[in-house]
Amino acid sequence: MRRLTHTLVFVVRFAVIGLAIAFVIGLFWPGTGRQLRARLGLAAPAPATTAVTTVGSHTLPTQEGPVSYADAVARAAPSVVNIYANKLVTEQPTLPEPLRRIFGNVPTGPAYTRREQSLGSGVIVSDDGYILTNNHVITGAQNIQVLLYDGRVAQAQVVGADPDTDLAVLKIDVSDLPAIQMASTATRVGDVVLAIGNPLGIGQTVTMGIVSAIGRQLSMANPEAFIQTDAAINFGNSGGALINARGNLVGINTALLGHASGAEGIGFAIPVKTARRVMQQIIDTGHVVRSWLGISYTHVPVPANSGLPAAARGVMVTGVYPGGPADKAGIQPGDILLKIGAHNIVDPPHLYRRASAMPPGTAVTLAGVRNGRSFHVKLKLTRRPVLSDTARSRG
């Protein structure tokens, strides 16, 4: 019995000493075990398999994401350019603020003209020189210069712009341009995205975040659907690229909610599907063609004590444009519109997007309620006229 005990103690001591030696070797000479297995002809341990989780009909990998997005940035960054829009601004000195309140804007000197430079970003979308940027970056510019990733500078011409989506298309005459690859799959909430641009004029910068929401409407005057992201977007990022983890373009950065509103991490981008459609129309015709119904509308009001959600399905007509399609069809203010064609109207932005996407001349049927009674009318969409900013909520 005593001999067995001594044997067990010897084995334990030997194992402890062996483990200690192995630990020291692994600490100071990493990779020794792999080299020893190679010399002895032993197989390397099998790589860890990726576990998957099934959610509904989707099979999702549970492994960790990439430790670097450098490859995605390297793929997309050469396609992002800096834009310098030069404007001539005429100003006239007036009385200082305390006196201006009493005497008004009384001139105190001759008017003078100064040069103002607007900074922004853009994305090369074709190797023949077309660049997408924001309309507000180049509005009113007399001269637009583009600084390429490789240091070349080119003069840009405005092909056309679309204030509704805040998109503009520029053209430069330069060879060997690296056009960005556009994403072919839909963006989902939770996708990792990277914003590339020229914030505050300090040079090309990359920030990372996720898609926080999709289909965002920025205002009643702009019913287009935007991507919301928490990737940092600062002044100068406007017109830059929002890319996915593979380096493909998913949106054009356009707006942010700044510190003045008390918000942080709320930026917006124009989806690549919208940008591609607007760009093609601008290249083909110089402008974007939209159809309209000739009405203004808002959410359907719901009584406070009804127990229903704050906004019901459909829209309520608040105004009818004289001589427009809806006026000719007999639509009246106060009408509740519930369907356009075979599609239910979800809310005002939904009606705007559906009607404006149809070609002018398309015949549609509107269904709704007037004074508690249902009605159906047929009308023919016409091309939307150029509207002022205060009239852009008309559909």
Side-chain angles (χ1 to χ4, degrees):
M1 186 65 180
R2 180 176 300 178
R3 180 176 298 177
L4 179 60
T5 302
H6 284 300
T7 302
L8 291 175
V9 171
F10 174 78
V11 171
V12 170
R13 288 177 178 174
F14 184 81
V16 170
I17 294 172
L19 290 173
I21 294 173
F23 173 78
V24 173
I25 292 175
L27 183 63
F28 291 98
W29 296 280
T32 303
R34 184 172 59 255
Q35 297 174 4
L36 183 59
R37 284 193 298 270
R39 291 183 179 181
L40 296 177
L42 300 177
T49 58
T50 301
V52 296
T53 302
T54 301
V55 179
S57 59
H58 301 283
T59 301
L60 306 176
T62 57
Q63 66 180 13
E64 294 183 359
V67 295
S68 173
Y69 297 99
D71 290 340
V73 173
R75 191 175 296 117
S79 304
V80 181
V81 301
N82 296 348
I83 294 178
Y84 302 91
N86 301 304
K87 308 173 185 180
L88 294 179
V89 180
T90 300
E91 294 182 347
Q92 188 170 35
T94 59
L95 294 172
E97 181 59 32
L99 297 177
R100 192 183 309 161
R101 296 179 184 177
I102 302 173
F103 300 103
N105 291 327
V106 178
T108 59
Y112 63 94
T113 300
R114 64 179 178 84
R115 180 173 173 267
E116 183 178 273
Q117 189 175 71
S118 174
L119 300 176
S121 305
V123 183
I124 301 172
V125 292
S126 69
D127 55 11
D128 55 350
Y130 286 107
I131 294 174
L132 270 175
T133 186
N134 283 155
N135 177 56
H136 74 261
V137 170
I138 54 90
T139 297
Q142 285 81 30
N143 176 273
I144 302 173
Q145 291 183 317
V146 175
L147 174 63
L148 303 181
Y149 184 79
D150 59 11
R152 290 180 291 174
V153 178
Q155 196 74 21
Q157 302 297 322
V158 179
V159 180
D162 180 45
D164 281 2
T165 53
D166 194 24
L167 282 171
V169 180
L170 307 179
K171 181 71 163 60
I172 59 175
D173 187 15
V174 178
S175 60
D176 299 325
L177 291 173
I180 200 166
Q181 182 70 35
M182 296 190 183
S184 57
T185 56
T187 302
R188 302 178 302 167
V189 174
D191 283 351
V192 171
V193 287
L194 303 119
I196 308 178
N198 178 27
L200 307 175
I202 63 175
Q204 191 175 96
T205 304
V206 182
T207 57
M208 188 194 77
I210 64 168
V211 173
S212 306
I214 56 176
R216 287 293 197 221
Q217 179 189 358
L218 300 189
S219 67
M220 283 301 298
N222 193 345
E224 295 290 345
F226 289 82
I227 298 171
Q228 179 184 330
T229 177
D230 65 347
I233 297 175
N234 296 292
F235 294 104
N237 274 108
S238 294
L242 189 71
I243 65 172
N244 60 23
R246 290 174 291 279
N248 298 330
L249 184 71
V250 298
I252 301 294
N253 301 322
T254 186
L256 68 153
L257 295 182
H259 295 286
S261 62
E264 292 186 8
I266 301 180
F268 298 95
I270 304 155
V272 67
K273 182 179 179 181
T274 300
R276 184 190 286 115
R277 171 175 53 83
V278 169
M279 177 189 68
Q280 196 57 57
Q281 288 196 51
I282 289 176
I283 292 174
D284 292 342
T285 67
H287 54 268
V288 178
V289 176
R290 290 184 175 89
S291 294
W292 79 324
L293 298 166
I295 56 176
S296 57
Y297 42 83
T298 186
H299 291 279
V300 177
V302 176
N305 299 326
S306 65
L308 297 175
R313 179 177 65 86
V315 301
M316 184 181 73
V317 178
T318 57
V320 180
Y321 192 84
D327 183 41
K328 295 178 181 179
I331 297 294
Q332 303 174 10
D335 288 348
I336 305 297
L337 303 181
L338 300 175
K339 295 186 72 172
I340 177 170
H343 301 278
N344 292 326
I345 298 172
V346 179
D347 53 23
H350 175 261
L351 176 58
Y352 168 88
R353 291 193 290 267
R354 184 162 290 280
S356 63
M358 298 180 186
T362 302
V364 297
T365 299
L366 292 177
V369 177
R370 177 184 300 156
N371 298 325
R373 295 184 178 182
S374 61
F375 70 89
H376 295 76
V377 297
K378 292 184 178 181
L379 54 80
K380 185 174 291 186
L381 298 173
T382 59
R383 179 175 172 178
R384 177 181 172 182
V386 178
L387 302 175
S388 64
D389 290 338
T390 57
R392 291 188 187 280
S393 59
R394 289 196 180 107

